[in-house]
Amino acid sequence: MKPMLNTEIAEVMQTPGKVYDIAEKVQYNLALNNEEKEVAEVMDAFAHHVGETGSDPEKQIASFITKTVTDELYNAPDELLDSMFDRGTVGEFDDYQAQRTVKNTLVAHEAAKGGNVPHSYLHLETLTPRWTNLQIETDLSYTDMRRNGFKAIANLTTFMSEALKNKMFAHILGQVDAAIAGGEQKIDVAGTAPTMEAMDKLALYLNEYSDGSTPFTVSLMKYCAQLRRMTGYAQYLSDSMKDDFNRYGLVKTYDGIAITGISSAKKLGDGSLLIPDKKIFGIAGKIGNLDMKGEIHTYQDEDNNNERVHLMVKDFTYGTAISHIERVAKITLQ
């Protein structure tokens, strides 16, 4: 690679917080400012060079992917997961245990001054994080880089970030779903749409178990839209809430509970949904810890015989320790 181009690429890698934004804008054909255009031009020249020569001795594509994924998944806030978990990071070879108070079992006894009463103790439980490691392997063709330049790299990198993020979210929601098997946390509805009775039960539960933050629900978008059409609900909507529904098709709150939705069109690479269907989850605050472990590593090999770059994103590792599952409830539809 030309020495000047190699230096410019190294400078791009040091651009704080910009790499993912630029890749995403290029992928979705969004407008770039002057600084972003300069970065994109450098990356475009680089991509064409690799596509023409089959040579990337400094493994700059791998460096770009690592930088982009790290910026987006390790350093950027995630509103939904941040509302559910205390977030942190640990070293690649580190581990930890957490303790939680399962319930307050201290007993207050009536007693004479200066006297003694039976001992009582807190019921403590030790939690070990459940670690999960994700990995992606794929190819980037020289033809694609010659034809599309930086956009070929940007598309692949953005899709990698989305695939890892979506898989992590779906996996964590699956853990939460599996942890609620019955009792007052599971509200069954004999139908395909939520009812006011079920939503009232969910709202009451969440408000009772809230840690002080605003409880919220998360479900597929179609169930958010169905809330507006629940029998008897329209009379409780204010004019502004009706305006919001007519404009966006969604209800934003229910009895003080924020309503959030995820599009059914947003799927994992295998076609499965990000969140279980026929479920409305209610979250009443932080339910535990979510920690990222170590750093991701991207490995790269130029396969000139097949005119492609083989890429492996490894060591995307996260751990969950759910210490307050009592702060979650769900509505299940038939």
Side-chain angles (χ1 to χ4, degrees):
M1 187 184 297
K2 301 175 183 178
M4 181 60 71
L5 183 55
N6 196 32
T7 300
E8 291 174 334
I9 292 295
E11 291 176 355
V12 168
M13 296 301 124
Q14 302 303 315
T15 308
K18 294 286 187 181
V19 177
Y20 180 80
D21 290 342
I22 295 171
E24 189 175 43
K25 286 183 176 181
V26 169
Q27 183 206 346
Y28 294 114
N29 297 317
L30 302 177
L32 301 174
N33 61 35
N34 290 335
E35 180 185 1
E36 291 168 339
K37 286 179 181 178
E38 291 179 3
V39 172
E41 287 171 0
V42 170
M43 292 300 298
D44 202 50
F46 161 73
H48 282 293
H49 178 82
V50 176
E52 291 166 359
T53 64
S55 176
D56 181 12
E58 302 297 325
K59 310 299 181 186
Q60 298 285 19
I61 295 176
S63 296
F64 180 82
I65 291 172
T66 297
K67 172 69 172 172
T68 305
V69 174
T70 300
D71 279 353
E72 172 62 7
L73 301 185
Y74 281 68
N75 301 331
D78 183 295
E79 186 175 355
L80 192 54
L81 290 179
D82 290 351
S83 298
M84 295 174 62
F85 294 94
D86 289 317
R87 303 291 299 271
T89 59
V90 299
E92 181 178 4
F93 305 107
D94 295 336
D95 209 340
Y96 70 91
Q97 290 183 329
Q99 279 196 332
R100 73 171 181 127
T101 302
V102 178
K103 59 182 178 179
N104 185 355
T105 50
L106 296 180
V107 179
H109 297 270
E110 188 175 341
K113 285 188 176 182
N116 293 334
V117 299
H119 286 191
S120 57
Y121 303 91
L122 290 175
H123 182 191
L124 300 176
E125 181 180 11
T126 299
L127 298 174
T128 300
R130 179 177 174 181
W131 296 106
T132 302
N133 183 70
L134 302 181
Q135 179 173 321
I136 294 175
E137 293 193 36
T138 190
D139 296 318
L140 180 61
S141 75
Y142 295 161
T143 301
D144 195 13
M145 283 190 282
R146 289 196 301 270
R147 179 186 299 114
N148 296 311
F150 175 46
K151 188 167 185 176
I153 299 174
N155 286 354
L156 186 65
T157 305
T158 304
F159 286 143
M160 282 180 167
S161 294
E162 290 179 355
L164 291 168
K165 184 176 184 178
N166 291 345
K167 181 67 174 181
M168 178 174 69
F169 180 81
H171 180 241
I172 291 172
L173 259 291
Q175 288 183 0
V176 172
D177 187 23
I180 306 172
E184 61 179 338
Q185 291 173 266
K186 185 173 181 286
I187 304 164
D188 295 320
V189 173
T192 59
T195 64
M196 282 193 66
E197 180 183 5
M199 286 299 297
D200 286 344
K201 288 181 180 179
L202 181 64
L204 176 61
Y205 183 92
L206 297 179
N207 284 319
E208 285 186 335
Y209 281 88
S210 172
D211 64 356
S213 58
T214 300
F216 64 93
T217 70
V218 58
S219 65
L220 292 176
M221 199 76 75
K222 60 183 178 181
Y223 300 122
C224 300
Q226 287 176 351
L227 294 180
R228 169 64 175 82
R229 292 185 286 274
M230 291 187 303
T231 302
Y233 182 58
Q235 62 182 305
Y236 297 105
L237 288 177
S238 66
D239 289 340
S240 63
M241 292 171 70
K242 290 177 180 177
D243 289 342
D244 281 340
F245 179 79
N246 291 332
R247 182 177 299 176
Y248 304 111
L250 299 174
V251 172
K252 292 185 176 181
T253 62
Y254 185 98
D255 197 14
I257 308 301
I259 306 298
T260 62
I262 295 175
S263 172
S264 300
K266 199 171 185 179
K267 293 182 172 66
L268 302 182
D270 61 3
S272 57
L273 297 166
L274 267 65
I275 185 170
D277 194 7
K278 299 182 179 179
K279 304 281 177 70
I280 299 174
F281 294 93
I283 314 294
K286 298 291 182 71
I287 66 173
N289 295 82
L290 171 58
D291 293 284
M292 309 306 295
K293 190 171 189 178
E295 300 175 347
I296 67 164
H297 299 94
T298 306
Y299 301 100
Q300 169 183 339
D301 290 302
E302 289 83 55
D303 181 2
N304 288 345
N305 287 330
N306 293 298
E307 297 190 12
R308 63 191 180 189
V309 179
H310 181 62
L311 297 161
M312 297 180 288
V313 177
K314 295 190 173 186
D315 305 318
F316 180 82
T317 307
Y318 59 91
T320 52
I322 299 177
S323 53
H324 291 288
I325 193 61
E326 73 277 2
R327 292 176 182 163
V328 183
K330 67 180 178 182
I331 292 173
T332 60
L333 307 172
Q334 300 301 314

